[in-house]
Structure formats: structure tokens, C-alpha cells
Amino acid sequence: MATDPIEQLEQTLADINNYQISNLEELEAFRIKYLGSKNILKPLSGLIREIPNEKRRDFGQLLNKVKKAAQAKFNETKEALEDAVASNVESIDLTAPAEPIELGARHPVSLVMNQMIEIFERIGFVVAEDKEIEDDWHNFTALNTPPDHPARDMQDTYYLMNDPQRLLRTHTSSVQARTMTTSKPPIRIIAPGRVYRNETISARSHCQFHQVEGLFIGEDVSFADLRQTLYYFAKEMFGASKIRMRPSFFPFTEPSAEVDIWLGTDTEDNRRLTKNTGWLEILGCGMVDPAVLENCGIDTEKYSGFAFGMGVERIALAKYDINDIRLLFENDVRFLSQFKSAANF
Ligand code: DAH
């Protein structure tokens, strides 16, 4: 370092001019060094005593110049840095597109269920939803399935806390009983929802699944109305050209039938869906047994009705060629994201 005081001042002036300041922290360091209460110019000004008289004036002027340079540099840099901060804020482009938000996909069960609902709504059915924790009466007894009735064996039931009166509903047919006891005909409902059965979980069956139940009660409702309603559904949902009804048994309907829809064997998809028969079984149905109507306080002299019920998972598995029902309950995004492009009902 130069020992001559004037040279020292000149060096300091050069240092000030070359000092690089790129942020407010560095500016503060600069202020402390050159303008603070213990700044390095203070000891330099004490050197005036070493200066011969005739040069003291020059020294004094140079010292002032250095101080002013430090102050000026501080002021200018401060302003420039503050401006930069302010203009940065303003430079946020509020019209720029936002970061994309990853869109989810509807669950295949929802896709199928919503499509079913939408089709029945078109012909005047309204959605009715009710309890998943049911009592024995609405799930069984009202539906003509008293205790010890062999039909109870068809549906292995989960009872709550070993209470024989409280159970997880085994079918959405329970909503029939709920609706008929609380509203007056005409009744035209579709009841989608979750049901439970004490079954071993495998690729083909699960202890929880979804059903869509339908119920139509009115004056002069006939089997032909049932058939036509289901034909309309089969046509809209699957593009089926015909349906067939096979006699069957359910405690709450008489007569009862199982319904197959004709998809044919022309396309590979349809051969797969129908196991090469052309026919796909989709639901159970029938005319509501007068005993059920009576249980629920509906005048059987005046009213009759039909009901039907179908499993949603079975149809989703068939429609999307899924070979294991468990996939529908695992919520693995690699599986679910495949339905992103499916129609968004
Ligand atoms: N509840 C029946 C089941 O879970 C399905 C069913 C069949 C519902 C016939 C009905 C019907 O309304 O009429 O297997």
C-alpha cells in the first residue's frame, strides 16, 4: 500500500470508483467502509499532520473529493438498485399463461355410472340416493325377504357390531323401500350407489361395488313398459339392437327376468364382451311384487310398477376391457390416468 498520504487518497478514490456493487447488501458494506462511523477515510484525514504546509490545501481538497465521491457513488447506486427492485415487481406479466395444472381423470366406475344416470334421466327418471348403513327392514324384509328366507343366502351380509338390525346394504334395492315409504306415486327413480357383500376378494368379485337400481310405480305400468325402458337403455348405452329376457327369480319381483343385450359377434370387441355368443347379460328386473308395494303402503288396487338393478363394475370391466375388479379400488394413478380421454360425463 502507498505510504504517501496523497497517494493513499488517490488510491482510495480509485478503489471507490472501481468498487462493484450489485445488490443492497453489498451497498451496505460499501457504506460502512467509506461512510460509516468508523470509515477508512477517518484515519486518512489524520494524516494531514504529516503533510508539509504548502501541500495541506491540496490534501484537504482531495480528501473532500474522495468523501464526495463515496457519498455520490452510494446515492446513485442506492437509487439504481431500488429502481431495479421496483421495476422487477412491475415486470411480472399478469397476462402470461399460468403453470399448467395437471388434470385428473374420472374413475371408470363414475364414467359408467354417470352415463347410465344420464340415459335414464332423459326418459324422466330422477336420482334418489339413500343410506349405505341400512336396517334389516329396508334391505330385506320390506322387499319380501323375511328372516330365514333362503334368498338371504344369495347376499352375504355385513352386520354392524353383530346387531342383526343394522347392516351395510347389500343392494341399492333398499332405496326402493325408502322411496316408496316416503313418497307417493307416480315414482320414477334411479338409485346409484355403493353396496357391500361379505365375499372373498378376487379378480372377479369384491366386497364392495356399485349398483344402479331403477323403480317405476304408477297406474297401469306393465311388463311391456319395463321391456321398452330397458331396450331404450341398452340401445343408448351399448348400441344394442335387441334385448332378450330370461325368466329368473328375485324375492321382490314377480315375474322376474334377467336381461341380455344383443351386441352381435361382428367386431372383436363384441366377441370379447359376449364370449362369442353375441349376448351380454346386464341386469335383473321384474314387476314389483304386490307384497312389496303393500309393505311400503302403496295401494295395489291402483298402482303397479317395475324395478331393475344392475352392477356398475361388471359393465365397466366389460366396456374398458379390464381383467381384474381389484384395479377399480386400488386408486393407482397409472391405471386411472388411462381414462383421461374417456368421454367426460
Ligand atoms: N337387487 C338385485 C341384486 O342385487 C338386483 C335386482 C334384480 C334389482 C331385480 C331389482 C330387480 O330391482 O327387479 O342382485
Side-chain angles (χ1 to χ4, degrees):
M1 195 185 179
T3 48
D4 175 46
I6 297 210
E7 270 179 35
Q8 279 193 46
L9 277 182
E10 274 165 356
Q11 180 60 48
T12 306
L13 184 61
D15 288 348
I16 289 171
N17 288 334
N18 295 330
Y19 200 106
Q20 295 297 318
I21 304 171
S22 49
N23 56 43
L24 289 168
E25 267 169 38
E26 288 172 11
L27 179 67
E28 179 62 3
F30 176 86
R31 189 191 64 77
I32 291 167
K33 184 169 183 185
Y34 294 105
L35 301 165
S37 58
K38 291 181 184 163
N39 69 61
I40 65 164
L41 296 174
K42 283 190 174 165
L44 279 177
S45 56
L47 294 177
I48 196 156
R49 273 173 273 115
E50 294 173 23
I51 307 287
N53 273 345
E54 66 279 10
K55 288 207 170 160
R56 282 197 178 169
R57 192 185 150 93
D58 290 348
F59 181 86
Q61 281 178 349
L62 186 53
L63 184 63
N64 272 340
K65 191 172 168 190
V66 175
K67 283 183 186 168
K68 277 190 184 152
Q71 188 65 54
K73 173 135 186 161
F74 175 81
N75 293 348
E76 282 161 22
T77 316
K78 184 167 186 246
E79 203 172 314
L81 286 174
E82 285 173 352
D83 276 1
V85 171
S87 65
N88 244 344
V89 172
E90 276 160 24
S91 74
I92 293 173
D93 179 359
L94 295 175
T95 63
E99 292 286 313
I101 298 170
E102 184 85 12
L103 274 187
R106 281 212 199 271
H107 195 281
V109 168
S110 302
L111 287 169
V112 169
M113 200 151 79
N114 291 349
Q115 196 180 352
M116 290 174 172
I117 292 170
E118 200 263 333
I119 291 169
F120 283 109
E121 277 179 343
R122 272 188 246 152
I123 49 172
F125 285 79
V126 294
V127 169
E129 284 176 312
D130 224 301
K131 299 173 197 301
E132 288 182 22
I133 296 177
E134 256 307 352
D135 52 41
D136 177 279
W137 193 81
H138 288 91
N139 195 81
F140 288 124
T141 306
L143 298 173
N144 216 17
T145 321
D148 304 327
H149 192 289
R152 289 200 181 199
D153 294 344
M154 284 158 62
Q155 302 183 358
D156 275 330
T157 310
Y158 284 118
Y159 288 91
L160 268 76
M161 317 290 282
N162 288 328
D163 178 349
Q165 292 307 315
R166 289 212 304 157
L167 48 89
L168 296 179
R169 69 180 176 194
T170 57
H171 51 183
T172 44
S173 305
S174 59
V175 183
Q176 283 190 33
R178 291 242 161 233
T179 311
M180 284 193 281
T181 46
T182 52
S183 37
K184 298 214 168 318
I187 294 169
R188 200 162 10 176
I189 55 151
I190 196 92
R194 199 184 288 256
V195 301
Y196 304 85
R197 286 183 201 178
N198 190 357
E199 274 179 27
T200 311
I201 297 174
S202 70
R204 289 278 121 207
S205 69
H206 210 285
C207 59
Q208 56 169 347
F209 51 100
H210 297 77
Q211 289 187 333
V212 169
E213 180 85 11
L215 175 71
F216 186 10
I217 308 285
E219 286 177 46
D220 303 324
V221 177
S222 69
F223 201 88
D225 297 325
L226 169 61
R227 192 183 163 83
Q228 197 56 30
T229 303
L230 296 178
Y231 173 60
Y232 175 76
F233 171 71
K235 189 159 61 73
E236 295 298 301
M237 182 89 194
F238 298 94
S241 58
K242 56 184 174 182
I243 63 174
R244 79 178 173 195
M245 301 177 104
R246 286 177 287 109
S248 183
F249 172 79
F250 299 102
F252 28 87
T253 42
E254 181 57 35
S256 303
E258 267 165 295
V259 174
D260 304 332
I261 60 173
W262 176 251
L263 297 181
T265 50
D266 290 350
T267 69
E268 200 185 314
D269 262 0
N270 287 344
R271 284 194 292 276
R272 172 177 57 76
L273 279 168
T274 66
K275 301 197 182 83
N276 282 322
T277 64
W279 292 101
L280 178 68
E281 183 195 322
I282 56 160
L283 55 80
C285 66
M287 299 307 290
V288 179
D289 194 308
V292 173
L293 297 177
E294 265 159 31
N295 287 342
C296 298
I298 291 190
D299 181 359
T300 49
E301 296 289 310
K302 195 167 175 201
Y303 297 109
S304 55
F306 64 71
F308 55 88
M310 60 191 134
V312 180
E313 276 78 3
R314 245 182 58 83
I315 292 176
L317 294 185
K319 191 170 160 139
Y320 295 115
D321 194 14
I322 301 165
N323 58 15
D324 191 328
I325 192 173
R326 290 169 291 198
L327 287 166
L328 297 175
F329 295 97
E330 280 163 4
N331 279 336
D332 183 331
V333 286
R334 289 169 302 179
F335 170 73
L336 294 177
S337 61
Q338 295 175 76
F339 299 91
K340 270 188 182 164
S341 58
N344 225 5
F345 281 100

